[in-house]
Amino acid sequence: MQSFDIITLFLLLVLPAYVANAIPVILGGGKTFDGLIRGKAFGSNKTIRGFFSGIIFGTLAAFAIAMALPAYMVMPYVIFGFLSSLGTMAGDLLGSFIKRRLGIEEGRPFFLDQVLFIIVALGFGYPVLGGYYTAGLMIAILVLTYIFHVLFNVIANRLGIKKVPW
Ligand code: CTP
Ligand code: MG
């Protein structure tokens, strides 16, 4: 197993998920999953295009990052990127599903908004890069992801990219 310094490892584990999580805000729109099932499962903000654009761009980000890795890690890392992007979008849907069941309206804040996606993303990526998951690193990822998420959403809101600052 290749060894990386802690910051590199941190970035390798989170970047595809961060990209997947951010992209639907920009590229989302169109038909919702709820429209597909003709019921209220995830709410009016979870679109099919948002879901797939997150997976595609998260995987592309992993592909770009993989170019800087040793050749034998390119394929595993791209697969990790795909799985963690898929996990991000699945976690995002799960979060909305939980919010709707609790009666929390679309776009209203909820404590899982900032971290559920990264937890599910890391879970999905575990079969590939789980060997790198140490307890300390997992705690650092949770804490810093929370902070970054809050910061990025405030900035995206100020820039007019996002309707609400969370
Ligand atoms: N988005 C999308 N498709 C997805 C996920 C997100 O189009 N599968 C877009 C929507 O425009 C959404 C925005 O990204 O409004 C922000 O996503 P998020 O904060 O995850 O959703 P909320 O609007 O807060 O809705 P919820 O309360 O269900 O979390
Ligand atoms: Mg939200």
Side-chain angles (χ1 to χ4, degrees):
M1 208 162 79
Q2 167 96 3
S3 79
F4 297 100
D5 66 83
I6 193 77
I7 295 174
T8 305
L9 191 51
F10 181 97
L11 293 173
L12 286 173
L13 295 184
V14 301
L15 282 181
Y18 284 8
V19 171
N21 192 244
I23 280 291
V25 179
I26 304 161
L27 296 184
K31 287 199 172 64
T32 62
F33 285 100
D34 279 9
L36 212 64
I37 60 167
R38 301 214 190 98
K40 182 150 174 143
F42 310 110
S44 55
N45 290 343
K46 299 293 129 144
T47 67
I48 295 161
R49 200 167 79 206
F51 181 87
F52 285 105
S53 60
I55 295 170
I56 291 167
F57 279 84
T59 308
L60 285 176
F63 196 80
I65 295 166
M67 295 298 107
L69 294 175
Y72 74 93
M73 280 207 65
V74 169
M75 210 48 209
Y77 189 68
V78 172
I79 295 169
F80 171 82
F82 168 72
L83 290 174
S84 72
S85 299
L86 185 66
T88 294
M89 300 319 299
D92 184 55
L93 285 179
L94 175 64
S96 293
F97 183 78
I98 295 171
K99 285 168 82 171
R100 299 302 90 81
R101 300 285 82 66
L102 295 174
I104 301 163
E105 275 172 44
E106 286 88 334
R108 297 298 305 160
F110 184 54
F111 81 102
L112 289 178
D113 285 345
Q114 289 79 20
V115 289
L116 183 63
F117 83 92
I118 198 75
I119 295 170
V120 181
L122 288 169
F124 274 46
Y126 186 82
V128 187
L129 294 186
Y132 291 105
Y133 293 16
T134 59
L137 190 56
M138 293 302 108
I139 293 167
I141 288 177
L142 285 185
V143 173
L144 289 173
T145 298
Y146 185 90
I147 295 169
F148 291 152
H149 195 281
V150 171
L151 283 176
F152 278 124
N153 280 281
V154 168
I155 294 168
N157 176 250
R158 295 264 164 93
L159 292 175
I161 302 166
K162 206 164 185 285
K163 275 177 268 175
V164 288
W166 52 74

